[in-house]
Amino acid sequence: MIQTPYLLFLGDAPDQLAAKVAQGIKDWRPENAVGQYRMDGCKADLGLTDMSLTDAKAAGAKTLVIGVANRGGVISPEWKKVLVMALEEGFDLASGLHNLLRDEPDLVAVAEATGQALHDVRVPEVNYPIANGKKRKGKRMLAVGTDCSCGKMYTALATDQAMRDMGMKSTFRATGQTGILITGDGVPLDAVIADFMAGSIEWLTPDNDEDHWDIIEGQGSLYHVSYSGVTMALVHGGQPDALVICHEPTRTHMRGLPDYELPTIEQVRDTALALARVANPACQVVGVSINTQHLNEEEALAYMAEIEERMGLPTVDPFRQGAARLAEALAAV
Amino acid sequence: MIQTPYLLFLGDAPDQLAAKVAQGIKDWRPENAVGQYRMDGCKADLGLTDMSLTDAKAAGAKTLVIGVANRGGVISPEWKKVLVMALEEGFDLASGLHNLLRDEPDLVAVAEATGQALHDVRVPEVNYPIANGKKRKGKRMLAVGTDCSCGKMYTALATDQAMRDMGMKSTFRATGQTGILITGDGVPLDAVIADFMAGSIEWLTPDNDEDHWDIIEGQGSLYHVSYSGVTMALVHGGQPDALVICHEPTRTHMRGLPDYELPTIEQVRDTALALARVANPACQVVGVSINTQHLNEEEALAYMAEIEERMGLPTVDPFRQGAARLAEALAAV
């Protein structure tokens, strides 16, 4: 569990896109974002107050979160100076970089000396149990995709937001690096040892109030041969009561697999539902979420109307339209 | 890759069952088993020549394999003496125990000093790639089960044996500890990091002759919620041309999951085949393997006749009848 709130480190980001993790935190958990820390030459700006380490500390920030992709996969000497100073000032550090904080001997030494924590959210910090399959109290929604990177995290975050706006009890449950940094908590599922994948999701989504929903971030796709095992563990470990199917309509092949066509939304519905009912016979598919970023407004609306008609399910783009209709569909379960 | 042949260490096994890993090696790869090493009080006997370390070395053994379960999950001081001596005599050590060899500082120190290897087959020794889904040459069979521990390894080993007896090109591909110790090679799939599961199976079953079969050991079950993600990675990473469904007919619930009924053989056929065809559209189900150990001869034959009629597929118990009919079914693919 990462201590919130955060100071968001944007480093020397070459452009706004490089700071998309920080942007996600600011968009979805603005209460976690006290301010931003930018170095000389930084081309990203979240519109937050620029703060020194001392200012941010005084404003209550507890963790410096690296909200930016690093260049060349290494933590540069310029970054290192700021990270060391942050530890000395009493900040924990959190990062989703491939280059782990814990692999930097100087950071490890300073963290030990100052008693501060280094959180590498790509690496599990918990010994997860093996899944026991026992029915848990409370309700769970899982976002499943026709492909990887088609909007599952966004859909889950937007649905969670819409549910809370409607006064429902809801918790977004992160299963990837960005989601974990946004909320400060979660399971880096792609880095979990195979035998413990489903158990990690049971751990992440424990017993809760009967009217509480866990909104579980999906990973991969049952039809993506590189990562389908990860998706399967979510379908069984998550015990979902409801599935929302996520789709990006302009893909010509599965991400990273040029020889593989995308499945239809109907195929994902039928496959995911049959498998989900092994763990939860009451599971149902409640909606479709379309990522229409590559369509114009007219095309997007026409496409969604077509899918809504074809599937007989509420169909929205949560980015264009919000996720209120998905939240309503869950309220009706 | 573990150096063969082996001296099989039976330690102070309390009974024959405790030495089942050693028994598996002797049954399936007798050419790997130069002899057995038994300590005072050992109650297991494989019928191999009892050898001292010096005898076994002279007979060509290269690795001392711990072929016995340890008591209390620890490597005892009595065992340790033999293991240290074996390293000093020039043996590598191989083990599938939870208590890793590499976690014993004395073994590590002696292995380093002598230049011998410690193989903990529960832990991957390879950095596997992420699966790329590319079609590979050669053919592959995967054993899939209605449940865990229902005879998948036995079925794969027996089919591989029957194929080689028929003069076909076949390689058993181990995906679990026992299988790896039997053959000296394989992937400990349940210990692989989630993102690399399918890639590890692609690595294990690379391009081969068009008329060569990899016979892949299955793990878990698509219907076992604790391990289904592992099974899924085999179905997609293995790109099987043929599936054999394994079933144990007297189970009253899924192993370790008292609230979960077993799926029918038909359910596993339909689910596994549909998923397998994502990676290999030509995949077919070619046979059924029944573990009839809890049925008498008459019951077993009647049950298999019923399944064969119902499924329209060759149905055998490879332990009672051998796997020749499964090998023939693969030859006909």
Side-chain angles (χ1 to χ4, degrees), chain A residues 224-230, chain B residues 128-133 136 189 192-205 229-230 232-239:
Chain A
H224 195 295
V225 297
S226 309
Y227 308 114
S228 53
V230 180
Chain B
Y128 303 112
I130 286 181
N132 62 31
R136 308 194 290 291
L189 185 58
V192 172
I193 300 278
D195 249 3
F196 304 98
M197 293 187 298
S200 75
I201 302 304
E202 292 188 349
W203 175 90
L204 180 67
T205 61
V230 180
M232 188 77 178
L234 281 160
V235 169
H236 281 166
Q239 277 181 13

Side-chain angles (χ1 to χ4, degrees), chain A residues 131 133 190 192 194-195 226 228 236 260, chain B residues 131 133 190 192 194-195 226 228 236 260:
Chain A
D190 62 9
V192 172
D195 248 4
S226 309
S228 53
H236 280 167
Y260 288 77
Chain B
D190 61 9
V192 172
D195 249 3
S226 309
S228 52
H236 281 166
Y260 287 77

Side-chain angles (χ1 to χ4, degrees), chain B residues 81-144:
Chain B
K81 281 183 207 162
V82 181
L83 302 183
V84 167
M85 278 195 299
L87 290 168
E88 296 284 1
E89 293 282 340
F91 287 89
D92 293 341
L93 302 182
S95 162
L97 301 176
H98 276 289
N99 181 174
L100 302 182
L101 300 173
R102 70 184 64 176
D103 288 343
E104 300 296 313
D106 44 355
L107 294 181
V108 171
V110 178
E112 275 177 17
T114 57
Q116 300 304 130
L118 302 179
H119 297 285
D120 288 301
V121 301
R122 285 190 179 268
V123 185
E125 296 188 339
V126 172
N127 288 321
Y128 303 112
I130 286 181
N132 62 31
K134 288 193 184 135
K135 179 72 185 156
R136 308 194 290 291
K137 293 202 184 84
K139 297 206 174 296
R140 285 156 198 87
M141 182 275 252
L142 174 66
V144 294

